[in-house]
Amino acid sequence: MADPSLHESFAPFTRIEYVLNSHESPSKRTPGTTPSRRAVLGSGMALGLGLLLTACGSSGVALQKAPTGDPVRGGSLRVGLAGGGAADTLDPHSPVSTTDIARVVNLYESLLYRDENFELKPLLALSAVPDATALVWTVALRPGVKFHDGRPVTAKDVAATFARVTDPDDPKSGAAALTILDEVKVIDDLTVEFRLNTPTATFDDSLGQYALGIVPEDFDVQHPIGTGPFKASSFDPGLRSVFVRNDAYWREHEPYLDELTILNFSDDDAMLNALLSTQVDAIGQIPLALLEVISADPRISILNSETGAWLPFTMRTDKAPFDDVRVRQAFRLAVDRQQMIEQVLSGNGSLGNDLYAPFDPGYAKQLPQRTQDIGKAKALLAEAGFSNGLDIELVTAPIQAGAVEAAQVFAQQAQAAGIRVKIRRVDTTTFFGDDYLSWTFAQDFWYTRNFLPQVNNSSLPTSPFNETHWDDPEFLELIESATTEVDETKRNALITKAQQIEYERGGYIIWGHPNQADAYQKYVAGLIPNKTGLALSGFEFRRAWIGVTK
């Protein structure tokens, strides 16, 4: 699976015009019966939305100017997000849905974090430094930080947090990446040592995961205590979560809001309706196909963020026909990547080159951009014994915005190379069910990661989500060397070599990196583009503020 905490499913299409006559809360709306939302993206739906925008624009709603100047303290922010349900949680170490992640980021804080530029920065730690062997990492904690109940954060809390995450009887979502962790040793109140069983030069990246928020030794999820900018006030799984400002927050002046409310929506369309009717102030992850139409509303601002996210096709390298590298190469050459960007992402994305981790300092930028070459694709297929082309089933599901559309565009493009694609669409639950990781040809999605953490997740025989069943001895040798190499320059060189191997014979078709697009009312301020792939400034609502009285 891609990021196990980030998969979304989309409920049936709710008619976009519903909001015009509805005064019910979003959670009470009844889904419509019209066909698939995705089927009308970019055409009929865009037209419907345009009509709605026209209606809103002529309804006398006062237009607000974007606020300027210093942040204003006070007010509340209502955030709409699609997804979530009865299984929603406030557990800092088991976020599943997008709404879970939004809650976790605002309630809890990890030792390090990825900022809006995807740079690793201190959070509850002041520093994280390896020894010469990369077997021991010493972390100095930020002094003066307190939990929501007023108790100070200590090294014992850090040790207890990681013991909770890696509990063998109840491992949390971050446990798989921490199998290298032998012990968290408390040195003094503000110092801990992470002692590893395997040299790991990039262990600090693991410490920067949002699902590793530090909690008190006696943490109880029924009383969610963290150090985040907001404190839990009320929680109705699948419906709404309300938070209030943490007045003792350690960052000066932040947060600015008195209250934060996160509302669940059954699908993108209901969420969009809520924004346009000002039932919410901001929404995350809007369909890229509707970006231009939504931005035409003068009341709405768009947050369009470049990301390193990717939506790959996955070819099982251990199973015919993809056990022949020539077939994998042919499939990659059948793709018109620019056309995929235009048709699937409406131009809001960057070209992929069958490589992930584009922000990694070791990213193999020198490799030539792969482009569609139908003649070469046919020749490779013929060499592999498919001179008359081949038939292949592609399993797809609405696992992420654009996934099904990408499958459809690929099927059209591949015809020219003699690749006859039969699309098998399943629902998200089926896709990630018992057969997940066994599909011969399918799709997946991942958010921004650097190279080695991504490899740990999906490109090793021991990875929890090795969807391409990739097991290349030369690649593995390079990864082992890179993982233990403390010298960054040498490590980046090893990463570049490993990427070249995946470029030449890997099992992913990575055609692009979609942007992250969000929308918010003009009176909301403090939201900035964020490369992590998480919506709405990485859900860092500590910086958000309201410029006018709503």
Side-chain angles (χ1 to χ4, degrees), residues 315-316 319-334 377 380-386 390 392 410 419 506 509:
M315 303 179 285
R316 273 190 63 169
K319 193 170 183 179
F322 300 118
D323 55 351
D324 189 323
V325 66
R326 294 169 295 188
V327 175
R328 302 199 294 272
Q329 291 170 343
F331 272 57
R332 286 171 158 182
L333 290 169
L380 285 166
L381 289 177
E383 291 175 18
F386 299 102
L390 61 80
I392 191 76
F410 177 82
I419 299 170
I509 301 174

Side-chain angles (χ1 to χ4, degrees), residues 488-546:
E488 185 174 0
T489 301
K490 294 178 180 176
R491 183 169 68 245
N492 290 341
L494 293 166
I495 288 173
T496 302
K497 289 181 180 178
Q499 286 205 316
Q500 180 158 357
I501 291 173
E502 285 196 309
Y503 176 82
E504 293 169 350
R505 52 182 187 262
Y508 285 122
I509 301 174
I510 303 172
W511 52 269
H513 302 284
N515 289 2
Q516 166 65 49
D518 313 304
Y520 56 97
Q521 309 287 354
K522 276 271 186 344
Y523 52 72
V524 177
L527 300 177
I528 58 176
N530 186 294
K531 291 184 175 180
T532 64
L534 299 181
L536 291 164
S537 290
F539 296 130
E540 291 188 66
F541 298 124
R542 64 183 172 84
R543 291 188 289 207
W545 54 284
I546 303 298

Side-chain angles (χ1 to χ4, degrees), residues 261-337:
T261 301
I262 297 174
L263 295 156
N264 292 58
F265 287 87
S266 58
D267 59 31
D268 292 345
D269 307 318
M271 185 175 68
L272 280 167
N273 285 336
L275 179 74
L276 296 173
S277 58
T278 64
Q279 295 178 55
V280 297
D281 306 308
I283 60 174
Q285 298 181 335
I286 61 176
L288 293 173
L290 296 179
L291 204 55
E292 187 175 353
V293 178
I294 296 171
S295 64
D297 189 324
R299 304 167 303 158
I300 305 297
S301 294
I302 297 293
L303 197 61
N304 193 347
S305 304
E306 176 192 11
T307 78
W310 44 301
L311 193 63
F313 296 101
T314 59
M315 303 179 285
R316 273 190 63 169
T317 58
D318 64 336
K319 193 170 183 179
F322 300 118
D323 55 351
D324 189 323
V325 66
R326 294 169 295 188
V327 175
R328 302 199 294 272
Q329 291 170 343
F331 272 57
R332 286 171 158 182
L333 290 169
V335 181
D336 182 336
R337 294 154 200 263

Side-chain angles (χ1 to χ4, degrees), residues 27 56 172 210 223 257 267 297 308 326 401 419 459 520 543:
S27 61
C56 292
K172 302 301 187 293
Y210 57 75
H223 304 283
L257 299 166
D267 59 31
D297 189 324
R326 294 169 295 188
I419 299 170
S459 294
Y520 56 97
R543 291 188 289 207

Side-chain angles (χ1 to χ4, degrees), residues 7-15 26-27 29-41 45 81-85 238 264-271 287 397-401 404 425-429:
H7 283 137
E8 292 181 70
S9 60
F10 295 104
F13 177 66
T14 301
R15 290 185 302 163
S27 61
R29 293 177 187 162
T30 303
T33 56
T34 48
S36 162
R37 180 181 66 83
R38 299 296 175 195
V40 295
L41 277 180
M45 181 176 171
L81 297 170
N264 292 58
F265 287 87
S266 58
D267 59 31
D268 292 345
D269 307 318
M271 185 175 68
I399 54 174
Q400 177 75 333
V404 174
R425 177 170 174 164
V426 299
D427 59 44
T428 302
T429 301

